[in-house]
Amino acid sequence: MSELQHGPLEDRHRELGASFAEFGGWLMPVSYAGTVAEHNATRSTVGLFDVSHLGKATVRGSGAAAFVNATLTNDLARIGPGKAQYTLCCNESGGVIDDLIAYYVADDEIFLVPNAANTEAVVAVLTEAAPDGVTVTDEHRSRAVLAVQGPRSTEVLAGLGLPTEMDYMGFEDGSYAGVPVRVCRSGYTGEHGYELLPEWESAVVVFDALVAAVSQAGGELAGLGARDTLRTEMGYPLHGHELSPVISPLQARCGWAIGWKKESFFGRDALLAEKAAGPARLLRGLRATGRGVLRADLAVLDGDRQVGITTSGTFSPTLRAGIALALIDADAGIDAGAQLTVDVRGRAVECEVVQPPFVTAKTR
């Protein structure tokens, strides 16, 4: 097993009483005051997350944007400089190597934020495909990533003189105390929020200011435990769970992030064929109506017949019920409102099929 990687703020998290866990090969804070309290603070006031384990890579050179558009699924022509976009890097069979955010800096520069464990794979496939004059650089430790999420997130950033007036998925470069900070109106919680990318080596300056501002606003430091419960309530996919090299964007209901009219992107032929035939399974939401906490990799049953498997599961602090995401066989005839059961260690937990998100998004 390779040695765990460490972020730029680990010492601060220890001082602040964080508990830690491994995420994508990195040791990261999983909670401070407790996952439920951090989750509820993000929904009601504001939460501050360190997600610096996320990857960073830059594609540079003449035609960089055109190259990225010819490889990743979403259509960069829909946006332009100063905008970011959710997109996917697929393999030739239509599975997902990674889902990531592409920042359109300029026609000759696209900044990518992949998942931590998949950064090397994304950089490798893009490097192999890159034409002369275009370079792909792994910059994992170039910037930290701090997420400020919740109804009072704008107040927190504005108090530090950071940009806040962007439209959803817009970004601006600002600074705090002389530290350059890229700020994007994005997040992974379903709340109005921002993701900040300060320089790695100076990230503690920005983090300390945010800790004070979030506390002043009545918010909480939040770990990756709360980040997972928040994203599950929104039905947002997590690579390795709802997306993987053998789970396609169509199965995960991410077909909206595919530029179907583009002439080229990785996995295009396979995905067009799957779209024409219809995916064999589809992502659904399950809300427990019986008692029990749902987890990943549990059998989903319609009577005695297995019709799917859970991909993520948790207790929803907002709904105060067990919830899960599950891949359900398309030919099973299961629609929203259907009653199914999930086998939780030999006990059948009754669930209702719902269409995610489980709670209303407030991102915009």
Side-chain angles (χ1 to χ4, degrees):
M1 181 177 177
S2 60
E3 184 178 347
L4 285 177
Q5 302 294 308
H6 301 272
L9 302 169
E10 185 174 320
D11 289 345
R12 275 293 192 272
H13 295 308
R14 293 191 184 281
E15 293 169 5
L16 292 163
S19 59
F20 290 81
E22 183 272 335
F23 286 84
W26 292 69
L27 188 66
M28 296 300 295
V30 66
S31 70
Y32 302 84
T35 293
V36 172
E38 294 159 21
H39 176 113
N40 290 336
T42 304
R43 290 273 184 250
S44 63
T45 54
V46 61
L48 169 61
F49 302 77
D50 176 13
V51 287
S52 299
H53 63 305
L54 293 174
K56 301 99 198 170
T58 302
V59 183
R60 293 186 179 91
S62 178
F67 163 66
V68 171
N69 205 30
T71 54
L72 305 185
T73 61
N74 215 334
D75 189 355
L76 277 177
R78 297 172 180 167
I79 65 172
K83 292 286 188 177
Q85 185 181 70
Y86 178 81
T87 189
L88 305 115
C89 180
C90 289
N91 56 34
E92 288 310 307
S93 64
V96 180
I97 298 170
D98 199 22
D99 61 332
L100 60 161
I101 302 295
Y103 286 68
Y104 200 133
V105 181
D107 291 346
D108 60 359
E109 182 178 344
I110 303 295
F111 180 74
L112 303 175
V113 180
N115 286 291
N118 300 328
T119 301
E120 289 185 7
V122 170
V123 170
V125 296
L126 291 176
T127 297
E128 183 178 356
D132 291 343
V134 172
T135 59
V136 184
T137 308
D138 186 337
E139 299 181 351
H140 210 138
R141 294 177 181 271
S142 64
R143 298 173 184 260
V145 186
L146 305 172
V148 181
Q149 303 282 297
R152 301 189 73 173
S153 57
T154 297
E155 172 188 330
V156 167
L157 265 66
L160 301 184
L162 290 167
T164 62
E165 297 303 314
M166 307 81 76
D167 292 334
Y168 183 60
M169 296 302 284
F171 69 89
E172 291 184 20
D173 289 334
S175 67
Y176 174 78
V179 179
V181 184
R182 179 165 288 166
V183 182
C184 187
R185 268 276 289 111
S186 56
Y188 197 46
T189 66
E191 294 297 325
H192 183 100
Y194 304 82
E195 291 179 305
L196 287 66
L197 293 92
E199 289 183 335
W200 183 277
E201 298 297 334
S202 304
V204 68
V205 174
V206 179
F207 180 71
D208 286 349
L210 288 170
V211 170
V214 165
S215 176
Q216 181 67 28
E220 296 276 359
L221 278 164
L224 298 190
R227 190 169 185 260
D228 191 60
T229 57
L230 289 157
R231 73 93 191 168
T232 304
E233 286 187 346
M234 297 310 303
Y236 291 159
L238 175 64
H239 194 274
H241 291 254
E242 289 72 43
L243 295 165
S244 81
V246 295
I247 303 174
S248 76
L250 287 167
Q251 294 169 28
R253 297 184 182 271
C254 291
W256 60 269
I258 300 176
W260 294 107
K261 296 181 180 179
K262 295 197 303 180
E263 295 182 358
S264 164
F265 55 87
F266 294 155
R268 180 177 182 270
D269 290 346
L271 288 168
L272 283 170
E274 185 181 23
K275 183 183 181 185
R281 52 188 182 169
L282 285 170
L283 194 68
R284 302 276 191 174
L286 299 175
R287 177 173 178 172
T289 54
R291 295 187 63 181
V293 178
L294 307 178
R295 300 299 184 195
D297 301 318
L298 302 178
V300 181
L301 306 172
D302 183 14
D304 295 329
R305 174 183 60 147
Q306 182 170 349
V307 295
I309 188 166
T310 59
T311 54
S312 293
T314 192
F315 173 78
S316 163
T318 304
L319 302 177
R320 303 200 60 78
I323 60 172
L325 299 171
L327 286 168
I328 304 295
D329 296 339
D331 62 4
I334 305 298
D335 295 317
Q339 303 297 310
L340 301 175
T341 60
V342 174
D343 183 351
V344 180
R345 296 189 298 277
R347 186 170 68 86
V349 175
E350 296 179 350
C351 297
E352 179 184 4
V353 178
V354 300
Q355 182 63 39
F358 295 93
V359 300
T360 302
K362 301 172 185 175
T363 53
R364 297 178 187 275

